[in-house]
Amino acid sequence: MTHTRGSIGTGDLGQLAEIALTFAGERPWGTGGITPVPISPGDALAFISSNAATLARSVLAWSDLRTLLRASHSVAALSYCALGGSPEAFAARVHAQRPHPGSVHCASEMRRLLWADTEPAPGRRLQDPFGLRAFPQVQGPALERPTRWRRR
């Protein structure tokens, strides 16, 4: 059973206590296992006084998000093709008016995927679905944020 509740303040009490009991041989391993580790009463605080479980879940979510961000341009380009989208939402002149780095990059990547060096055909409708029209403005900040988190 995976426990996702029990965090109080900066301590993931329930999850970390269960990990400590498993290391000590008091709880069964889900798969595999190690020889039980002797744990003294003074070790308890070190096991339960942190946010290691929350941090680990956050890192896993961040990893999943990076994968989704990498795939999103391809998915949006395929959606654009299926819907016969209008090229205006990705035009360089549109993004030059408000040159936010992420939005500019996103629109540029969409132009590269959709048209390379060719001139785009006009769209099938006057106004595309909101998801296509706003893709660079929504995707742009998501693309910008992870680059600010990286160590230089």
Side-chain angles (χ1 to χ4, degrees), residues 10-95:
T10 61
D12 294 329
L13 299 175
Q15 302 95 324
L16 295 177
E18 189 166 339
I19 290 169
L21 289 171
T22 304
F23 281 147
E26 299 291 324
R27 303 263 313 148
W29 288 88
T31 59
I34 63 170
T35 304
V37 177
I39 297 176
S40 69
D43 295 330
L45 185 59
F47 269 109
I48 64 172
S49 183
S50 78
N51 59 354
T54 298
L55 181 59
R57 280 194 304 274
S58 299
V59 169
L60 292 172
W62 176 75
S63 177
D64 290 347
L65 179 60
R66 283 183 40 193
T67 300
L68 291 172
L69 286 174
R70 283 193 298 269
S72 63
H73 285 98
S74 298
V75 171
L78 289 169
S79 299
Y80 175 94
C81 292
L83 295 170
S86 171
E88 187 175 17
F90 310 115
R93 64 181 168 71
V94 169
H95 293 278

Side-chain angles (χ1 to χ4, degrees), residues 99-122:
H100 300 290
S103 297
V104 169
H105 170 73
C106 179
S108 172
E109 183 66 9
M110 291 298 290
R111 290 192 305 272
R112 184 189 70 77
L113 288 170
L114 292 167
W115 308 296
D117 294 329
T118 63
E119 188 65 29

